[in-house]
Amino acid sequence: MNDPPLRTPPLSESAPSQHPQPAASDEGSAGNEAPLLKLAAIDLGSNSFHLLLANHQAGQLQVVAKQGEKVQLAAGLDEDGMLSEEAMERALNCLAQFAPFIDGIEADHLRVVGTNALRAAHNSEELIERAEDLLGHPIEIIAGREEARLIYLGAAHALADVHGKRLIVDIGGGSTEFIIGEQFEPQLLESLHMGCVAYTKAFFQDGEISEKRMRRAELAARSELASIQRTYREMGWDDPVGSSGTIKAAANVLEAHGWAPHGMVTREGLHKLRAALLEFKRLDKVSLPGLKSDRATVFPAGIAILCGVFEALGLEQMRYSDGALREGVLFDLIGRNTPEDSRLSAIESLQRRYGIDTRHASNVRDTALQLFDQVAGDWALGSTSRQLLSWAAELHEVGQAISHSQFHRHGAYLLEHSDLLGFSRPEQRALAFLVRAHRRKFPKNELAALPEPQQPRLARLARLLRMAVMLNHSRSEAPVLGMHLSAKGDDLTLNLTEEYRDHSLINDDLSQESELQKAAGMTLTLADS
């Protein structure tokens, strides 16, 4: 995949199938024909789940299949932030329908992302474990700003290029994302806690629609927007755009009534739509041309949020874009592990922001990767683990920006709780653990708190990082290389080259490290020759 996502043309459609098809691959490509890759994205939204399959070949993405289902996961959150069993069953039943579509797709060509409802649910791990067993693929919960970035990527690719800034607004079930960007680069990203399912529960729970309730919901949206209103209006935009279900439904209803041109939402049209909704008086009575029946009960809350957005941002009109989160996930997937990988920019940004000694970090990285390559086969570690170890080495001293004392703890906190664009929450948590574990006593309690299937792999990566840090303790100009590491199960044997065998500081550090690993139930043997 040589074509970076920021150069990829918009998705084209080829009569999207509603039936599973065999996964395409690059096998059988003849001559100089570019390989055909089948990609898939699953968006576990707070209101709806969506599946998108597309073929990627010669820089082109073509839709193969789409599916979407209203799951209303956010409606299953109780006052204590716990997902009900009924909501979990709805989610799992939907994913069971999606599963045949992704059968045979390579793991690196598929992403399953969860958004606000899964971020908010205290028992989300229970659903995630059951869903991962069903799909046979990991689920990534993404942070709000990362969701906003992916939405922008999807929406921008679906639109014709314009000169100037775009404002993208995406009203979901549990959150609403706001992005200002130019061409394919987002410049402001925000995710606010307001969505059509959450606001239906908050303001229309008994099913009644009234002027008072609509205004309360609109004012709540205005209150949420107060934190970003000035910044966004000061930056400004030339092209306001809406994406996803609520705004798509609003555009369809307005067009069906002749209240706005095709694909547009106008302030005047919104006022007419709002008045029409009030006439129904109850959610279960809402029925409008252009509005799907499965969206009707959450539509008034979505319109209240949209009215609040128009008021707060001073909008007169907004056009609709077909591109959204799932499309953005596909475009981002194409750019992974290329120079366009957004995670690389996030790493570089952290290094600049916290003044990391990049020369020393690079030395630790080079040593860690040499150790990794020597045991990767015995430990069944792949390219994803190698990349994670590399990033952890480059950021292992990030906590020194706060304090040298306990800086491994400070660094872990920063990495787990920062908005790192391109990273999912599980990736950030794994990265934070490696930084936490790179020195002093091995953190067995923190390891035990990680998902059980990940613990052996992350423990092994932590041991490699610890040794790389010890070997480069003297902070010399060049990395320490040339040693040999072997593994028998979890027992490691390290053999230094003659150049370093008599180096007192290195030997003393490694002897201490051997004792620390022994205290954690691990074996690190330093060979005599």
Side-chain angles (χ1 to χ4, degrees):
M1 292 181 287
N2 296 319
D3 300 278
L6 301 187
R7 307 290 186 271
T8 307
L11 283 166
S12 58
E13 303 240 3
S14 60
S17 168
Q18 296 301 312
H19 302 285
Q21 300 178 5
S25 71
D26 57 351
E27 294 181 6
S29 298
N32 295 322
E33 184 180 354
L36 175 67
L37 301 176
K38 192 160 195 177
L39 308 174
I42 297 178
D43 161 18
L44 309 181
S46 301
N47 187 39
S48 304
F49 285 8
H50 292 276
L51 166 73
L52 180 62
L53 267 69
N55 289 334
H56 180 251
Q57 187 174 35
Q60 298 287 332
L61 270 177
Q62 186 175 50
V63 173
V64 174
K66 283 183 176 181
Q67 273 207 344
E69 185 173 329
K70 294 289 183 296
V71 174
Q72 294 198 344
L73 198 61
L77 282 169
D78 64 21
E79 293 180 356
D80 297 320
M82 303 293 285
L83 279 172
S84 67
E85 179 60 29
E86 290 78 9
M88 291 192 193
E89 287 297 330
R90 292 197 301 271
L92 294 170
N93 289 339
C94 176
L95 293 178
Q97 297 177 40
F98 289 176
F101 285 79
I102 63 174
D103 185 40
I105 294 181
E106 294 182 21
D108 289 344
H109 299 161
L110 166 66
R111 286 187 74 191
V112 186
V113 299
T115 59
N116 184 265
L118 288 174
R119 290 196 292 266
H122 297 314
N123 60 338
S124 61
E125 283 297 328
E126 179 183 345
L127 174 57
I128 288 171
E129 288 178 9
R130 295 163 67 180
E132 288 179 341
D133 287 342
L134 192 157
L135 295 174
H137 191 83
I139 292 172
E140 308 171 33
I141 299 179
I142 55 176
R145 285 193 176 94
E146 173 64 4
E147 182 180 355
R149 184 187 71 86
L150 292 171
I151 287 168
Y152 182 83
L153 195 58
H157 275 92
L159 297 166
D161 193 18
V162 296
H163 297 289
K165 295 185 178 71
R166 290 192 181 101
L167 166 70
I168 306 289
V169 179
D170 186 298
I171 300 172
S175 64
T176 298
E177 281 65 50
F178 299 84
I179 313 97
I180 293 178
E182 195 162 358
Q183 295 185 327
F184 300 109
E185 292 294 332
Q187 296 170 355
L188 280 180
L189 297 160
E190 194 55 76
S191 178
L192 300 182
H193 296 292
M194 56 186 190
C196 60
V197 177
Y199 269 38
T200 298
K201 288 178 64 177
F203 301 105
F204 306 94
Q205 189 170 27
D206 62 359
E208 180 185 343
I209 308 172
S210 67
E211 173 62 34
K212 181 179 180 180
R213 289 165 185 258
M214 285 291 287
R215 194 56 187 160
R216 284 180 59 207
E218 290 164 355
L219 289 173
R222 290 288 305 272
S223 178
E224 284 289 333
L225 279 153
S227 62
I228 69 168
Q229 180 177 338
R230 174 178 292 181
T231 303
Y232 273 62
R233 295 188 73 161
E234 285 178 351
M235 175 167 280
W237 54 83
D238 304 292
D239 184 24
V241 178
S243 65
S244 290
T246 289
I247 297 175
K248 178 181 181 179
N252 288 341
V253 172
L254 292 179
E255 182 186 9
H257 285 83
W259 293 339
H262 172 69
M264 296 294 294
V265 177
T266 64
R267 182 184 286 262
E268 181 182 357
L270 265 184
H271 289 164
K272 292 178 179 179
L273 176 52
R274 184 184 186 279
L277 288 172
L278 289 173
E279 291 180 5
F280 290 107
K281 299 187 184 304
R282 292 198 58 81
L283 296 180
D284 56 7
K285 301 294 184 182
V286 173
S287 178
L288 291 164
L291 178 64
K292 293 181 179 179
S293 59
D294 60 2
R295 180 168 288 276
T297 56
V298 299
F299 191 57
I303 293 302
I305 293 171
L306 188 54
C307 287
V309 170
F310 266 63
E311 288 183 37
L313 299 182
L315 299 175
E316 290 299 326
Q317 66 179 29
M318 170 185 288
R319 63 177 173 139
Y320 171 72
S321 166
D322 278 323
L325 175 61
R326 53 198 172 276
E327 287 82 8
V329 170
L330 282 189
F331 286 113
D332 194 60
L333 191 60
I334 295 168
R336 290 232 154 174
N337 302 312
T338 76
E340 298 285 346
D341 194 331
S342 57
R343 295 172 297 180
L344 299 179
S345 297
I347 297 294
E348 292 170 0
S349 176
L350 283 174
Q351 290 179 324
R352 290 193 301 269
R353 180 177 181 181
Y354 293 109
I356 292 174
D357 181 348
T358 55
R359 180 192 56 76
H360 176 65
S362 296
N363 288 347
V364 172
R365 178 200 62 206
D366 291 348
T367 301
L369 293 182
Q370 184 173 90
L371 294 172
F372 177 96
D373 292 340
Q374 292 173 356
V375 297
D378 292 325
W379 275 359
L381 298 172
S383 58
T384 300
S385 295
R386 193 177 194 273
Q387 184 66 81
L388 183 64
L389 177 62
S390 175
W391 287 331
E394 291 174 347
L395 296 175
H396 75 281
E397 290 187 334
V398 66
Q400 288 196 8
I402 296 176
S403 171
H404 185 78
S405 175
Q406 302 291 311
F407 72 85
H408 53 305
R409 294 179 182 269
H410 303 316
Y413 182 88
L414 286 173
L415 293 176
E416 184 165 357
H417 297 285
S418 296
D419 282 326
L420 301 185
L421 297 184
F423 285 88
S424 66
R425 284 192 171 186
E427 285 177 324
Q428 284 190 225
R429 194 177 182 193
L431 188 59
F433 169 75
L434 293 182
V435 169
R436 167 67 181 84
H438 88 267
R439 66 195 291 262
R440 302 288 178 84
K441 183 180 177 182
F442 195 91
K444 293 192 292 183
N445 291 338
E446 287 85 345
L447 179 64
L450 295 170
E452 189 172 350
Q454 296 296 320
Q455 291 176 22
R457 178 178 74 101
L458 293 176
R460 287 171 167 178
L461 293 179
R463 296 175 71 189
L464 298 177
L465 179 59
R466 292 171 69 92
M467 285 186 283
V469 171
M470 289 295 98
L471 287 164
N472 289 279
H473 191 186
S474 62
R475 307 181 81 90
S476 60
E477 291 293 322
V480 174
L481 300 172
M483 61 282 162
H484 183 266
L485 182 68
S486 60
K488 288 186 177 180
D490 278 323
D491 294 343
L492 292 175
T493 301
L494 180 65
N495 194 327
L496 295 176
T497 62
E498 186 174 350
E499 178 183 0
Y500 297 108
R501 201 170 295 145
D502 297 325
H503 194 295
S504 57
L505 178 59
I506 287 178
N507 277 277
D508 184 57
D509 286 340
L510 288 173
S511 295
Q512 291 184 43
E513 176 59 21
S514 178
E515 290 300 316
L516 289 170
Q517 291 200 24
K518 181 179 180 181
M522 306 167 180
T523 300
L524 171 61
T525 302
L526 306 179
D528 294 331
S529 61

